[in-house]
Amino acid sequence: IWSILCSRSVLDQESNNLSLFNLIEKVAFTTPKNQIEEFEKQKKEGKVLLPFNFELVSRIRKNAEESIVLDIETIIVDPKKVETGRFNKKVEVKKEIKNMRIRDRFNALPVSSVGLYEIIINIKEQNEKEFLQVANIPLDVEFKTE
């Protein structure tokens, strides 16, 4: 139904409601002057893994009456349309569950340059051959130096 980036989420045990904090549309990384040389070297090698804690939260709705297993693929694409990261997971949606929230926590972001990144979420049932793109989240990445 939807996917969003945030800095963190909290599940209320009483109501089972999920609170999302600090929705993320843009992130600016600051490189200390004494690390610029190393940063530039990593960029020339293709990509930099920048420390950045964030969550990707998705809500899905199941139409089937039985339990299903989903393959979920998250792809990070840079402004030049080059993949910088790919993450896969399996999720079982039990028979009695119609709505499900999935929270993926990350502690780094693989980047290659500044600009507009895309975080693409693809889903398929385990017995299907092709993934279906269900979300495309834009993320603006900036670099600054101290």
Side-chain angles (χ1 to χ4, degrees):
I1 296 175
W2 52 259
S3 294
I4 198 157
L5 295 176
C6 61
S7 64
R8 69 184 188 99
S9 62
V10 176
L11 183 63
D12 182 307
Q13 296 299 321
E14 278 186 36
S15 66
N16 198 33
N17 286 328
L18 185 68
S19 295
L20 306 174
F21 295 94
N22 302 320
L23 303 183
I24 300 170
E25 298 170 349
K26 177 179 172 181
V27 61
F29 294 99
T30 303
T31 305
K33 285 184 181 179
N34 64 346
Q35 295 177 6
I36 290 174
E37 194 174 300
E38 177 62 26
F39 177 76
E40 291 300 325
K41 179 183 169 193
Q42 288 179 15
K43 270 179 40 180
K44 286 179 185 169
E45 292 172 358
K47 66 181 172 187
V48 179
L49 199 57
L50 294 172
F52 174 51
N53 293 320
F54 67 98
E55 293 185 22
L56 172 61
V57 182
S58 298
R59 180 176 171 221
I60 60 171
R61 180 166 175 80
K62 179 180 67 136
N63 294 324
E65 294 297 323
E66 67 276 352
S67 296
I68 59 172
V69 176
L70 298 173
D71 291 322
I72 301 174
E73 175 180 69
T74 302
I75 304 169
I76 300 173
V77 178
D78 75 8
K80 296 175 185 162
K81 304 298 181 202
V82 175
E83 182 181 311
T84 62
R86 180 181 296 253
F87 311 93
N88 294 292
K89 70 186 295 182
K90 289 192 184 307
V91 174
E92 181 181 0
V93 185
K94 300 208 183 276
K95 180 179 180 176
E96 62 275 5
I97 296 175
K98 292 286 184 200
N99 289 293
M100 181 177 226
R101 292 176 302 242
I102 300 166
R103 297 189 291 174
D104 292 311
R105 293 185 171 115
F106 297 86
N107 59 12
L109 181 67
V111 298
S112 57
S113 64
V114 297
L116 189 61
Y117 282 70
E118 296 175 90
I119 299 177
I120 300 166
I121 295 95
N122 298 320
I123 294 180
K124 73 177 183 76
E125 287 188 42
Q126 198 170 31
N127 59 354
E128 294 177 349
K129 292 182 180 179
E130 298 288 322
F131 278 96
L132 173 66
Q133 182 176 320
V134 294
N136 185 328
I137 305 166
L139 177 63
D140 197 14
V141 175
E142 292 182 355
F143 296 141
K144 299 177 182 178
T145 55
E146 285 183 336

